Amino acid sequence: MHKIYSFPQQFSQNSQLPIRIVSPDFGHLALKDSDKYKLPHRLPYYFFLFIQQGATQYGVDGETLALGQHELVFSLPHQIQHMPLSLQANEYYKLGFDDQCLARLPKQYPFLLNPLNQQKIRFSAATARRLQAIFELLQGLLAVLDTDPELILAHLNSLLTEINTAYFSVDAKPAGQQMTKYVAFQVFVENNLTEHPTIRQAAHELALSTDRLYQLVKHYSGLSPKEFINHRLILEAKRRLYYGERSSVKELAFELGFSDPSYFSRLFKKVTGKTVAAFFQDLSAT
């Protein structure tokens, strides 16, 4: 199922595309708008932070990532974002756009499903220079509100292609059909998450045996298919807890498709090492 994610209309720097770029001297929000985005919040769009020179920290889904020279972090719709209070960086770019923009690009970019579970990417010096050049071109185009969107999309395609190539370069084996199947498994899980799909159903959807599916998911995620689904369900629970989207454990369990709240509570503790109450208490204390 194709979803359209909402980009705040007043933030867009183009009259026809939902997109915004920020650098040290360009594109910053008014103080009254930027303050609320310093607090943890659920992202409704895709977000990229590229550090060309300097260092900072960035939080996503409760994990803090240290970023340095020639590194980029990306976040996906629905993830909980913790923006750095300050960027100790001389050169950086922040980029945001939603699925309406992505749908107009000429191809798909598998890294946006984060199949290798790595949201930070380090680039070679040569690749980092190319990225910086593309960001500079995008910034120039977005400095004019009525720039032809096709020009913006052409450079955005180049940027995402560079990132996609670097993302998968850490895997010694070529992506090929194995990665395609693994991405298809991820998509199937996302589209059926609260229905708690069985491994047999997932294998049938991908035209694989259950043994082959197990090998595939274990290779790329380090988890069995069942563990993968359980971890994804608990991650969604953590996001909803972090965003205050529940009034009781029972309601949260039912929203996520669990018919037995007690089982949900046990699974939550098994995956996170904490009870739901303890996790929520820790959030309240931060």
Side-chain angles (χ1 to χ4, degrees):
M1 181 178 177
H2 191 65
K3 299 178 181 177
I4 300 296
Y5 298 106
S6 173
F7 190 83
Q9 186 174 5
Q10 70 274 24
F11 292 172
S12 182
Q13 294 167 326
N14 182 262
S15 58
Q16 299 181 59
L17 290 175
I19 186 170
R20 187 179 191 91
I21 194 168
V22 175
S23 65
D25 56 358
F26 180 84
H28 290 273
L29 297 172
L31 187 60
K32 63 182 179 64
D33 293 321
S34 63
D35 281 348
K36 66 180 179 180
Y37 283 92
K38 292 177 182 177
L39 300 173
H41 60 281
R42 184 187 284 270
L43 273 175
Y45 51 85
Y46 299 91
F47 175 82
F48 299 78
L49 172 59
F50 173 62
I51 304 296
Q52 177 68 2
Q53 294 285 344
T56 191
Q57 291 186 328
Y58 176 83
V60 57
D61 281 341
E63 180 183 1
T64 300
L65 301 173
L67 290 175
Q69 182 181 22
H70 299 167
E71 291 185 331
L72 175 145
V73 64
F74 65 95
S75 297
L76 309 176
H78 299 312
Q79 291 192 298
I80 301 297
Q81 179 190 63
H82 312 246
M83 283 295 292
L85 294 178
S86 64
L87 282 167
Q88 299 87 36
N90 299 320
E91 298 179 36
Y92 68 85
Y93 289 94
K94 294 188 284 187
L95 176 68
F97 57 85
D98 75 6
D99 215 35
Q100 297 180 54
C101 191
L102 191 63
R104 295 183 60 174
L105 293 172
K107 63 180 183 179
Q108 296 181 330
Y109 312 89
F111 85 94
L112 287 176
L113 284 171
N114 197 17
L116 302 179
N117 193 32
Q118 56 170 51
Q119 296 192 246
K120 184 174 79 170
I121 306 171
R122 179 165 180 79
F123 302 93
S124 67
T127 304
R129 286 194 295 270
R130 291 199 301 270
L131 287 179
Q132 184 176 25
I134 299 170
F135 275 118
E136 287 176 352
L137 288 167
L138 281 170
Q139 179 173 301
L141 293 170
L142 291 171
V144 180
L145 187 64
D146 60 354
T147 295
D148 186 334
E150 293 304 318
L151 294 174
I152 298 169
L153 292 171
H155 292 296
L156 183 58
N157 175 58
S158 296
L159 180 71
L160 296 181
T161 299
E162 289 274 12
I163 298 172
N164 193 76
T165 300
Y167 179 93
F168 288 108
S169 68
V170 299
D171 192 2
K173 297 180 180 179
Q177 189 175 13
Q178 283 196 87
M179 178 58 72
T180 300
K181 287 288 188 181
Y182 178 59
V183 170
F185 170 73
Q186 284 193 306
V187 172
F188 176 77
V189 171
E190 290 299 314
N191 288 341
N192 298 277
L193 185 63
T194 58
E195 297 172 12
H196 297 222
T198 67
I199 306 311
R200 187 177 296 277
Q201 288 171 331
H204 177 75
E205 178 72 17
L206 274 62
L208 296 172
S209 68
T210 54
D211 287 345
R212 186 70 190 94
L213 178 63
Y214 178 91
Q215 295 169 3
L216 185 72
V217 177
K218 190 74 172 179
H219 171 74
Y220 284 108
S221 71
L223 303 170
S224 71
K226 182 63 175 177
E227 289 171 335
F228 182 97
I229 294 170
N230 284 342
H231 279 240
R232 179 61 186 88
L233 281 163
I234 298 306
L235 173 58
E236 184 60 27
K238 289 166 63 179
R239 288 176 181 170
R240 297 188 187 197
L241 286 166
Y242 207 108
Y243 208 58
E245 297 177 352
R246 63 102 187 182
S247 56
S248 71
V249 174
K250 183 177 180 180
E251 287 182 355
L252 178 59
F254 288 156
E255 287 173 7
L256 294 173
F258 291 89
S259 58
D260 182 355
S262 296
Y263 172 71
F264 164 71
S265 296
R266 293 194 300 272
L267 181 62
F268 188 96
K269 185 174 182 179
K270 179 181 179 181
V271 172
T272 68
K274 298 179 180 179
T275 64
V276 176
F279 183 84
F280 188 71
Q281 185 176 12
D282 287 348
L283 290 179
S284 301
T286 58

